[in-house]
Amino acid sequence: MKLQKVILNTERVLAIELMNAAQALEFRFPKKSSPTIMKIHDDFRREVPFISDDVVMYPLIEKAIQFLRK
């Protein structure tokens, strides 16, 4: 049970890191990254939108977790 909790927490941290990376990448536009990174970014953005205003993050984190599980 403890291992499962660790895995779920790690999954949540990775989802938050992915959200941060996607945000950071968009702050660099119009510069682009590699085609592989941009493909992942575009796929991720279809699930989780760019965050421009203060919002409740829980639903977006859950969407990011679901994206990672695919």
Side-chain angles (χ1 to χ4, degrees):
M1 296 213 32
K2 188 173 182 178
L3 176 61
Q4 183 177 5
K5 187 172 182 180
V6 169
I7 291 169
L8 292 176
N9 286 339
T10 302
E11 184 179 57
R12 184 167 300 277
V13 169
L14 290 174
I16 292 168
E17 288 295 326
L18 180 58
M19 290 175 65
N20 290 334
Q23 288 286 123
L25 190 59
E26 289 192 30
F27 288 135
R28 296 192 55 179
F29 285 164
K31 294 180 181 178
K32 301 276 184 181
S33 189
S34 70
T36 303
I37 297 293
M38 294 310 299
K39 168 86 169 85
I40 295 168
H41 175 269
D42 294 342
D43 292 345
F44 181 70
R45 281 296 180 223
R46 281 193 273 284
E47 303 290 326
V48 181
F50 179 80
I51 303 164
S52 59
D53 297 316
D54 285 343
V55 296
V56 175
M57 297 299 289
Y58 176 78
L60 298 175
I61 293 170
E62 290 302 313
K63 286 182 180 181
I65 289 170
Q66 295 305 314
F67 178 82
L68 288 175
R69 287 181 180 173
K70 288 184 189 176

